[in-house]
DNA sequence: TAGTTAATTGAAAATAATTTTCATTTAGCA
DNA sequence: TGCTAAATGAAAATTATTTTCAATTAACTA
């Protein structure tokens, strides 16, 4: 479950941002897709429902949504800057299929031991972390097995 | 300690690549810097010693070196596509200072429990992971403290 | 060591990604 | 219903990356 429309609207408003149809449209697209989407892909989809929207607005909207933590940026695998809807409240990470790009969330990263050790050893004050696993999703594994069997 | 020049040359040659002065120069710059460098920054430095080198060659060289695992790509923090020398043989990760960009390596990530759990729950075949911590390095922490004290 | 050849290079052009500028429009509020 | 600051879209500007192609060169062979 993602944030509700209302919750999102309230967060935007409280941060001094207006709720515009364009911003709604971008949010809708991202929350409807389970995959991560590049700015260009988001633009394309939004554009179908909202032909007058500009790519610039998509970029600006993404910056705001990411800044507010409503969406998250995904890095692994080729293209930088893709976006995913953020699950509410909870810190989480992604499992990304290197074949089809499917994204699965997980929440219990439990890096606190590692974090403490590193902070101590490197005299770092750790503020955050980026953790992503890559591999093959269930479907892609199946597909590969079938291919192999067919040979 | 990074790979020796010879080791690197041998890896390149075994993969069918030639050892050119340009490739040497790019490797030297990356291995001499402890920070991660963008393609543009690498180009700038290489260019000083090697004025006739083109940015295109830098891009092509980076692609090859990354493909062979001799350097690694760093993602966090603003600009995508920065490169760091890879420490030999061992799997490792980075601590990145969000203030000055300093990079510190660490090796013992020990994500195997998490990995197994995720593989089981999500039916994923996990092939790799991306883990980076961000925070403040020793020096930047000091600097901040001094600033605070001065107020 | 000279000759051969496929890989590599650099310059320029092409393409793609992102940001800036600015005149016009609009959401949110009184 | 106005008012106003924020947001928008179009176009231009900037930045990042890739492609193309003729000239050069590293590595191998005779
Ligand atoms: Zn898949
Ligand atoms: Zn985490
Ligand atoms: Zn620092
Ligand atoms: Zn690891």
């Amino acid at each position: 479950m993602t944030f509700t429309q209302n919750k999102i609207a309230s967060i935007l408003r409280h941060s001094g941002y207006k709720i515009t149809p364009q911003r709604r449209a971008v949010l809708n697209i991202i929350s409807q897709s389970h995959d991560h989407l590049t700015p260009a892909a988001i633009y394309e989809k939004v554009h179908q429902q909202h032909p007058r929207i500009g790519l610039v607005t998509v970029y600006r909207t993404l910056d705001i949504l990411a800044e507010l933590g409503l969406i998250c940026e995904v890095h692994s695998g080729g293209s930088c800057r893709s976006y995913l809807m953020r699950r509410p409240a909870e810190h989480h990470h992604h499992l990304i299929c290197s074949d089809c790009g499917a994204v699965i969330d997980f929440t219990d990263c439990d890096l606190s031991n590692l974090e403490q050790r590193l902070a101590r050893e490197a005299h770092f004050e750790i503020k955050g972390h980026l953790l992503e696993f890559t591999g093959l999703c269930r479907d892609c594994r199946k597909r590969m097995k079938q291919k192999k069997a067919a040979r």
Side-chain angles (χ1 to χ4, degrees), chain A:
Chain A
M1 199 200 61
T2 59
F3 292 105
T4 64
Q5 288 285 327
N6 282 341
K7 182 68 182 161
I8 289 172
S10 134
I11 291 174
L12 277 171
R13 210 160 330 163
H14 277 127
S15 312
Y17 294 111
K18 294 180 178 176
I19 317 291
T20 64
Q22 292 89 337
R23 286 177 181 167
R24 277 187 199 289
V26 169
L27 266 163
N28 280 338
I29 289 303
I30 300 178
S31 63
Q32 278 160 28
S33 163
H34 187 236
D35 263 356
H36 46 140
L37 300 170
T38 60
I42 292 167
Y43 169 70
E44 208 178 310
K45 282 171 188 275
V46 171
H47 194 257
Q48 286 169 10
Q49 295 157 28
H50 228 278
R52 309 219 39 243
I53 200 175
L55 178 56
V56 205
T57 298
V58 172
Y59 271 105
R60 288 190 280 227
T61 303
L62 293 174
D63 284 347
I64 293 171
L65 297 176
E67 175 205 325
L68 295 178
L70 295 169
I71 60 177
C72 26
E73 239 178 281
V74 173
H75 276 276
S76 252
S79 83
C80 280
R81 293 244 294 191
S82 296
Y83 294 86
L84 257 189
M85 208 61 202
R86 171 123 179 220
R87 310 295 142 172
E90 54 190 8
H91 171 97
H92 73 284
H93 301 281
H94 303 129
L95 265 161
I96 305 178
C97 177
S98 51
D99 209 54
C100 70
V103 177
I104 295 179
D105 286 356
F106 68 92
T107 50
D108 317 320
C109 56
D110 191 27
L111 297 174
S112 51
N113 284 342
L114 180 54
E115 200 168 302
Q116 277 170 33
R117 204 196 77 216
L118 292 171
R120 185 162 18 87
E121 289 176 2
H123 304 277
F124 236 77
E125 179 181 339
I126 294 181
K127 298 273 183 82
H129 56 251
L130 170 63
L131 173 62
E132 288 179 2
F133 286 94
T134 48
L136 290 178
C137 74
R138 185 177 214 163
D139 294 348
C140 290
R141 289 173 70 190
K142 258 189 217 157
R143 189 151 21 82
M144 302 234 162
K145 268 185 202 157
Q146 287 169 0
K147 245 192 222 160
K148 261 192 195 166
R151 269 194 274 132

